[in-house]
Amino acid sequence: MSSASRKTFLPLEPTSFTNESKAVIDFIADYYKNIEEYPVQSGVEPGYLSAKLPDSAPYCPESLEDILKDVNDCIIPGLTHWQSPNFFAYFQANASTAGFLGEMLCSGFNVVGFNWISSPAATELESIVLDWMGKLLKLPSSFLFSGTGGGVLHGSTCEAAVCTLAAARDKALKELGGWENITKLMVYASDQTHFTFQKAAKLVGIPPSNFRFIETSLSTGFSMSSDQVRLAIEHDIKSGLVPLFLCATIGTTACGAIDPIAELGQVAREYKLWLHIDAAYAGSACICPELRHFLDGVELANSVSMNPHKWFLTNMDCCCLWITEPRLLVDSLSTDPEILRNKASEFKAVLDYKDWQVALSRRFRALKLWIVIRRHGLANLVYHIRSDISMAERFEAFVAKDDRFDIVVPRKFALVCFRLKPKQELEGLELNSRLLEAINSSGRAFMTHAVVGGIYVIRCAIGTTMTEERHVDALWKLIQEKAQGLLME
Amino acid sequence: MSSASRKTFLPLEPTSFTNESKAVIDFIADYYKNIEEYPVQSGVEPGYLSAKLPDSAPYCPESLEDILKDVNDCIIPGLTHWQSPNFFAYFQANASTAGFLGEMLCSGFNVVGFNWISSPAATELESIVLDWMGKLLKLPSSFLFSGTGGGVLHGSTCEAAVCTLAAARDKALKELGGWENITKLMVYASDQTHFTFQKAAKLVGIPPSNFRFIETSLSTGFSMSSDQVRLAIEHDIKSGLVPLFLCATIGTTACGAIDPIAELGQVAREYKLWLHIDAAYAGSACICPELRHFLDGVELANSVSMNPHKWFLTNMDCCCLWITEPRLLVDSLSTDPEILRNKASEFKAVLDYKDWQVALSRRFRALKLWIVIRRHGLANLVYHIRSDISMAERFEAFVAKDDRFDIVVPRKFALVCFRLKPKQELEGLELNSRLLEAINSSGRAFMTHAVVGGIYVIRCAIGTTMTEERHVDALWKLIQEKAQGLLME
């Protein structure tokens, strides 16, 4: 069937590994050099790719040249360029050279550190770097290994949500004395909380109707009211339900809203709820002393998560989760099959991260976060955050100075939510969605929208690794140009 | 606080990206060149790393040279070298140049393809490559996009298990008319099924006591008996329970056992259970025509998963999941927040992979599997599998020829389960665990153990990318040497 042999088939031979890898490095460097030439959002039509690629795998090996040609001709046109300095959509996903190097080492070593013994360095570096990161955020020692807690790297906030919800669920079911009580467990979040928590609660078997959305409003900056949380809890307790879990957010997705951690923490303590803090986006900013106060009250939480893969120069994927009682995660998620038994784990001298996450297998992501922190240092990481916030202030000032526009929600961090003022409120959605489409379809920038308090807003999320002031200035010029066109109609 | 400025702080500047990345490529290539010099299993003591690294992050940036020196001096000694040709433990995690290139492109583009619009190429290439892979395995068209099904890349089998279990659960709860029925749902697997399914069932809220283990035995090669599954189902139905999900395995972790898919499929159809096939390890082997028959009956399953990151030259992480009714996944996992609304998704012209998995965010893993397939071609991929199986046959023959040893379970695929014959049965564990420790502590090879049918066996899993016949021969020599030492005592 095949003429391959060990002599000709060496899929990890160091010399060809080096040559081919360096060719791809050059390819990626060229991509970065030319990135501003591509339309930021891809304009391809659904199904475009199946017309360009064969419908089944090749029998014979193909050359790297042919493959890279196809990446260039077929894949790049179908990318929305998250690393473009003109990408202002969703939240950014910061790539950096340091993050990339970490990914390379992770992929190169390709160890699977499910337990300590399967690669001690993977477990130990992860614990160390979680403590580093926790200290950068000035988390109390109850979240650190050097204190009484600990942390783990997950792939996403949803995984952190699934694991913490499962831990809280299993603790409650044990106390309540039976699995049938799962239908009584209640989860609280605001109508601004990331939908991933709703998905996670359903995933762990909590009935969707047991997910309470606390309403927020423009008047309080879409922040969750602890009084309303208390009312909802009291109501549910009277109905025989069991309040379980409260999710507070620092920097919501739609508009960057900030929940009052200390106040919510008091309520959670009083009613014995598990308080999780989702700082996926804005957690990174809390390394700046002037922004750390948003985490005040964090000592009242049971768990905190944030995503270095958003704003912390760490290539996808990387989510930090800290927890005050790791034992509860392990109680819920641990498995102890014979096949993985080993002395180190049995003597409890080590921790096995397989019991802190959904999957068994895991990548050595800690290398990446470790290199990102060391290669930049706190000094440059703070500079990175401040520089993005300063560009957002600049953009906000442009908008504020132009009477045709509104800043709908006061800027938080580096996210500006604005709109073109409609003549009549009902026209706001139509006008601004047309404006957004005009901007995005130009290919010169890409933003996304949200609806907050019934108002359609355009979100300008500043913070890709390569964005400079000139890109923000060009974006504002583009917005004005497209707005002018619309208003002239 | 910082003297950094835009001029000096350019974390993704193409020239330094190129230079630093190439330095890391050279570092990794040197690692591969020297990999046989390291003890395969790390011999560090718990806590070794905290003594070597500072307990908090640096304020100033550090040089790449300093970081790589630490990787060399502190991290590598704490690695268990999964890419060593002398690694015969667990199941292998194949790295390859092609897989590494795919990871680099994925990390370099760093797009987040949660829905189609956020990077159409990421979604479309994933659908195409899942069809390619499905065709390599000769899956029926009911699992392919070109037919009536479809596939997705997950990070792990556990994620595939969580998602399929949630889909099956939600379908059943809808039919049963209330979430409280969750405590009636029953999951069936054998005592050889990977423990990840037990973990996943608990994660999705199915009571742990509702997980039925069907007993297997040496006499039937640890294969699950469809008659016993039927008996268990009948028993549970009589008790008012609701049979939900059956997991069959092709190539179990302990000893490579194979469940009879066609027979189990008949039972699943009869009782309307969701049948999932876990081919995490041995699925890759089914690309060989002479091994494809293990998948016979797959048309009766609802979902199939296998891990290219084990035996298919695809660096971590990569798990293929195919499903005949993707709609059921989407019904269970979809979220439709305003912030992600877009015309392409609304008009249902596209699929949004966020609704096929746990997390919202996702890496562009399809690039990696696509490049692995193209760069090697089916011809070399088949050669790769056959070459490993042939080396396993060679090893099996060595063991069989030596009267001091037993092949405990007939070899399946490239996994050989053997032991040193004890004089008395009770001494088998002691003798063989000492033998295993003597082998592993030599640093010259690394294997792990299992207990099947009460018998402690040493597992020799052949299949790392760089393993050649000479490594297998050296392993056998090492085993004989250590056995001789033990038997002389």
Side-chain angles (χ1 to χ4, degrees):
Chain A
M1 182 164 185
S2 153
S3 61
S5 75
R6 172 51 65 184
K7 276 191 190 129
T8 58
F9 182 62
L10 298 163
L12 198 55
E13 188 278 312
T15 305
S16 58
F17 170 85
T18 305
N19 296 339
E20 298 200 358
S21 296
K22 288 185 176 176
V24 169
I25 293 296
D26 289 335
F27 183 91
I28 297 172
D30 282 344
Y31 171 71
Y32 291 146
K33 278 180 206 155
N34 303 325
I35 199 163
E36 292 191 52
E37 289 168 24
Y38 303 114
V40 187
Q41 186 183 32
S42 172
V44 298
E45 292 295 318
Y48 89 100
L49 193 57
S50 58
K52 293 175 186 282
L53 297 180
D55 64 2
S56 60
Y59 180 76
C60 291
E62 298 184 53
S63 72
L64 179 59
E65 293 63 37
D66 285 351
I67 294 170
L68 287 180
K69 186 175 184 314
D70 281 350
V71 173
N72 198 64
D73 298 350
C74 307
I75 302 300
I76 288 180
L79 294 180
T80 290
H81 302 280
W82 286 67
Q83 300 316 313
S84 166
N86 298 311
F87 181 98
F88 302 98
Y90 312 113
F91 282 127
Q92 67 277 9
N94 278 175
S96 71
T97 298
F100 184 84
L101 304 180
E103 270 292 315
M104 277 203 291
L105 285 169
C106 168
S107 180
F109 291 139
N110 210 45
V111 299
V112 188
F114 38 69
N115 57 10
W116 181 85
I117 197 74
S118 69
S119 256
T123 297
E124 298 207 6
L125 187 66
E126 185 158 328
S127 298
I128 289 168
V129 84
L130 263 293
D131 262 23
W132 281 21
M133 193 72 207
K135 287 177 186 172
L136 289 179
L137 295 170
K138 298 198 170 32
L139 293 185
S141 64
S142 55
F143 286 104
L144 306 180
F145 287 107
S146 55
T148 52
V152 59
L153 292 180
H154 283 175
S156 65
T157 302
C158 197
E159 187 179 356
V162 164
C163 293
T164 51
L165 276 159
R169 177 198 71 186
D170 292 349
K171 177 172 181 273
L173 291 178
K174 203 170 164 189
E175 287 164 7
L176 293 167
W179 203 272
E180 67 282 1
N181 293 298
I182 196 169
T183 58
K184 293 185 191 158
L185 303 177
M186 303 299 298
V187 178
Y188 304 84
S190 91
D191 56 11
Q192 299 297 312
T193 302
H194 198 283
F195 60 88
T196 211
F197 283 86
Q198 201 187 344
K199 179 169 177 173
K202 186 181 167 198
L203 265 174
V204 302
I206 294 171
S209 56
N210 290 21
F211 198 92
R212 288 271 172 280
F213 295 98
I214 308 298
E215 215 175 305
T216 63
S217 69
L218 180 54
S219 64
T220 51
F222 299 102
S223 176
M224 180 156 45
S225 147
S226 59
D227 288 345
Q228 282 196 52
V229 173
R230 183 186 300 274
L231 281 174
I233 291 173
E234 288 281 0
H235 175 270
D236 289 336
I237 290 174
K238 278 183 197 138
S239 310
L241 299 167
V242 180
L244 177 75
F245 193 96
L246 169 62
C247 178
T249 308
I250 301 177
T252 61
T253 308
C255 66
I258 299 156
D259 292 330
I261 304 302
E263 289 171 31
L264 293 169
Q266 291 299 342
V267 176
R269 282 280 162 109
E270 192 176 331
Y271 294 97
K272 297 195 167 52
L273 270 73
W274 182 300
L275 174 63
H276 180 82
I277 298 177
D278 171 19
Y281 163 60
S284 299
C286 296
I287 62 165
C288 303
E290 70 276 18
L291 298 170
R292 169 56 178 76
H293 65 92
F294 291 120
L295 275 171
D296 287 355
V298 65
E299 65 280 2
L300 299 170
N302 301 75
S303 50
V304 187
S305 60
M306 54 83 65
N307 292 352
H309 69 218
K310 283 197 167 64
W311 200 4
F312 206 69
L313 299 173
T314 307
N315 298 43
M316 286 278 295
D317 51 359
C318 188
C319 169
C320 296
L321 168 67
W322 293 272
I323 181 164
T324 56
E325 293 176 277
R327 166 186 68 79
L328 295 176
L329 264 193
V330 174
D331 283 352
S332 185
L333 303 173
S334 75
T335 47
D336 185 23
E338 178 63 40
I339 192 144
L340 297 183
R341 290 230 172 111
N342 66 89
K343 284 184 187 160
S345 297
E346 268 164 46
F347 295 152
K348 304 283 176 200
V350 298
L351 69 88
D352 293 334
Y353 271 126
K354 71 180 173 59
D355 300 333
W356 295 53
Q357 65 173 19
V358 170
L360 169 63
S361 57
R362 63 200 322 270
R363 298 165 68 237
F364 190 177
R365 295 190 189 100
L367 269 175
K368 180 169 60 174
L369 184 54
W370 182 57
I371 295 176
V372 162
I373 293 175
R374 291 187 65 177
R375 193 76 191 87
H376 299 119
L378 175 60
N380 275 326
L381 290 165
V382 165
Y383 170 81
H384 166 65
I385 299 289
R386 285 182 179 155
S387 147
D388 290 338
I389 291 177
S390 147
M391 287 191 279
E393 285 168 346
R394 182 181 175 91
F395 180 81
E396 185 188 32
F398 290 151
V399 180
K401 258 190 289 186
D402 188 325
D403 284 345
R404 298 169 300 175
F405 290 88
D406 254 349
I407 301 283
V408 179
V409 191
R411 178 191 54 77
K412 297 281 161 43
F413 306 105
L415 173 65
V416 181
C417 292
F418 68 101
R419 66 169 185 169
L420 198 49
K421 281 181 206 162
K423 281 177 198 136
Q424 295 184 314
E425 192 53 47
L426 282 175
E427 295 164 4
L429 185 152
E430 164 81 7
L431 184 66
N432 282 283
S433 63
R434 285 182 60 205
L435 173 59
L436 183 59
E437 190 165 329
I439 294 161
N440 290 347
S441 63
S442 77
R444 289 153 57 195
F446 178 37
M447 294 184 290
T448 49
H449 77 284
V451 173
V452 284
I455 301 169
Y456 182 102
V457 299
I458 299 176
R459 296 169 71 262
C460 175
I462 291 175
T464 82
T465 312
M466 294 195 270
T467 301
E468 302 176 27
E469 270 185 14
R470 65 188 169 92
H471 301 106
V472 174
D473 294 358
L475 171 67
W476 177 239
K477 214 175 144 191
L478 173 67
I479 293 168
Q480 286 185 308
E481 173 193 315
K482 297 298 178 187
Q484 187 65 21
L486 271 179
L487 295 171
M488 296 271 284
E489 278 180 15
Chain B
M1 181 164 187
S2 152
S3 61
S5 75
R6 173 49 66 184
K7 275 189 191 132
T8 58
F9 181 64
L10 297 164
L12 198 57
E13 188 278 314
T15 306
S16 57
F17 169 85
T18 305
N19 296 338
E20 299 200 357
S21 296
K22 289 185 176 176
V24 170
I25 293 298
D26 289 334
F27 182 92
I28 297 172
D30 282 343
Y31 171 71
Y32 291 147
K33 277 179 208 157
N34 302 326
I35 199 160
E36 291 191 53
E37 290 168 24
Y38 303 113
V40 187
Q41 186 184 31
S42 173
V44 298
E45 292 295 317
Y48 89 100
L49 193 57
S50 58
K52 292 174 185 284
L53 296 180
D55 64 2
S56 60
Y59 181 76
C60 291
E62 298 183 54
S63 72
L64 179 58
E65 290 67 34
D66 285 351
I67 294 169
L68 287 181
K69 186 175 184 314
D70 282 349
V71 173
N72 198 66
D73 298 350
C74 308
I75 302 300
I76 288 181
L79 293 180
T80 291
H81 301 280
W82 286 66
Q83 300 316 312
S84 166
N86 298 312
F87 180 99
F88 302 98
Y90 311 114
F91 282 127
Q92 67 276 10
N94 277 175
S96 72
T97 298
F100 184 84
L101 304 180
E103 270 291 316
M104 277 204 291
L105 286 168
C106 168
S107 180
F109 291 139
N110 210 45
V111 300
V112 188
F114 39 69
N115 57 10
W116 182 85
I117 196 75
S118 68
S119 256
T123 296
E124 299 205 6
L125 187 65
E126 186 158 329
S127 298
I128 289 168
V129 85
L130 262 294
D131 263 21
W132 280 21
M133 192 73 209
K135 287 176 186 173
L136 290 179
L137 296 171
K138 299 202 172 24
L139 294 185
S141 64
S142 54
F143 287 105
L144 306 180
F145 287 108
S146 56
T148 52
V152 60
L153 292 180
H154 282 175
S156 66
T157 302
C158 196
E159 187 179 357
V162 163
C163 292
T164 50
L165 276 159
R169 177 198 69 186
D170 292 350
K171 177 172 180 274
L173 292 179
K174 204 172 164 188
E175 286 164 7
L176 294 167
W179 203 272
E180 66 281 2
N181 294 298
I182 194 168
T183 57
K184 294 186 192 158
L185 303 177
M186 303 300 297
V187 178
Y188 304 84
S190 91
D191 55 11
Q192 299 297 313
T193 302
H194 198 284
F195 61 88
T196 213
F197 282 85
Q198 200 186 347
K199 179 168 176 173
K202 185 180 168 198
L203 266 175
V204 304
I206 293 171
S209 55
N210 291 22
F211 197 93
R212 288 270 174 280
F213 295 98
I214 308 297
E215 215 175 306
T216 63
S217 68
L218 180 55
S219 64
T220 52
F222 299 103
S223 177
M224 181 158 43
S225 145
S226 59
D227 288 343
Q228 282 196 51
V229 173
R230 184 187 299 273
L231 281 174
I233 290 174
E234 289 281 0
H235 174 270
D236 289 336
I237 291 174
K238 279 183 196 139
S239 311
L241 299 168
V242 180
L244 177 75
F245 194 96
L246 170 62
C247 177
T249 307
I250 300 178
T252 61
T253 307
C255 65
I258 299 156
D259 293 328
I261 304 303
E263 290 171 30
L264 293 169
Q266 292 299 345
V267 177
R269 281 281 162 107
E270 191 176 331
Y271 294 97
K272 297 195 168 55
L273 270 74
W274 183 298
L275 175 63
H276 180 82
I277 297 176
D278 171 18
Y281 162 60
S284 298
C286 297
I287 63 167
C288 302
E290 70 277 18
L291 298 170
R292 169 57 178 76
H293 64 93
F294 292 119
L295 274 171
D296 286 355
V298 63
E299 65 280 2
L300 299 171
N302 301 76
S303 49
V304 186
S305 59
M306 52 82 66
N307 292 352
H309 68 217
K310 282 196 168 64
W311 200 6
F312 207 68
L313 300 173
T314 307
N315 299 44
M316 287 277 298
D317 51 357
C318 189
C319 169
C320 295
L321 168 69
W322 293 273
I323 180 165
T324 55
E325 293 177 277
R327 168 186 67 79
L328 296 176
L329 265 193
V330 174
D331 283 353
S332 184
L333 304 172
S334 75
T335 46
D336 186 23
E338 178 63 40
I339 194 143
L340 297 182
R341 289 228 172 113
N342 66 87
K343 283 184 191 162
S345 297
E346 269 164 47
F347 295 152
K348 305 280 176 202
V350 296
L351 70 87
D352 293 333
Y353 271 126
K354 71 179 173 61
D355 300 334
W356 294 53
Q357 64 173 21
V358 170
L360 169 62
S361 57
R362 63 201 321 272
R363 300 165 68 239
F364 190 175
R365 295 190 190 100
L367 268 175
K368 182 169 57 177
L369 184 55
W370 183 58
I371 293 175
V372 163
I373 295 175
R374 290 187 65 177
R375 193 74 191 87
H376 299 120
L378 175 59
N380 275 324
L381 290 164
V382 165
Y383 170 81
H384 165 64
I385 300 288
R386 286 181 179 159
S387 147
D388 291 337
I389 290 177
S390 146
M391 286 191 280
E393 284 166 348
R394 182 181 176 90
F395 180 81
E396 186 187 31
F398 290 150
V399 179
K401 259 191 287 187
D402 189 324
D403 285 344
R404 297 169 300 174
F405 290 87
D406 253 348
I407 300 283
V408 180
V409 191
R411 180 191 53 77
K412 297 282 161 40
F413 307 105
L415 173 65
V416 181
C417 293
F418 68 102
R419 66 170 183 169
L420 198 50
K421 281 183 207 161
K423 281 177 202 138
Q424 294 183 313
E425 190 54 47
L426 280 173
E427 294 163 5
L429 186 152
E430 165 81 5
L431 184 66
N432 283 282
S433 63
R434 284 181 62 205
L435 173 60
L436 184 57
E437 190 165 327
I439 294 161
N440 290 348
S441 64
S442 77
R444 290 152 58 195
F446 179 37
M447 293 183 290
T448 48
H449 77 284
V451 174
V452 283
I455 301 169
Y456 182 101
V457 299
I458 299 178
R459 295 170 71 261
C460 175
I462 291 176
T464 83
T465 311
M466 294 194 270
T467 301
E468 302 176 28
E469 271 184 12
R470 64 187 169 94
H471 301 104
V472 174
D473 294 356
L475 171 67
W476 177 239
K477 214 175 143 192
L478 174 66
I479 293 169
Q480 285 184 310
E481 171 194 317
K482 297 297 178 188
Q484 187 65 22
L486 270 179
L487 294 173
M488 298 271 283
E489 277 179 14

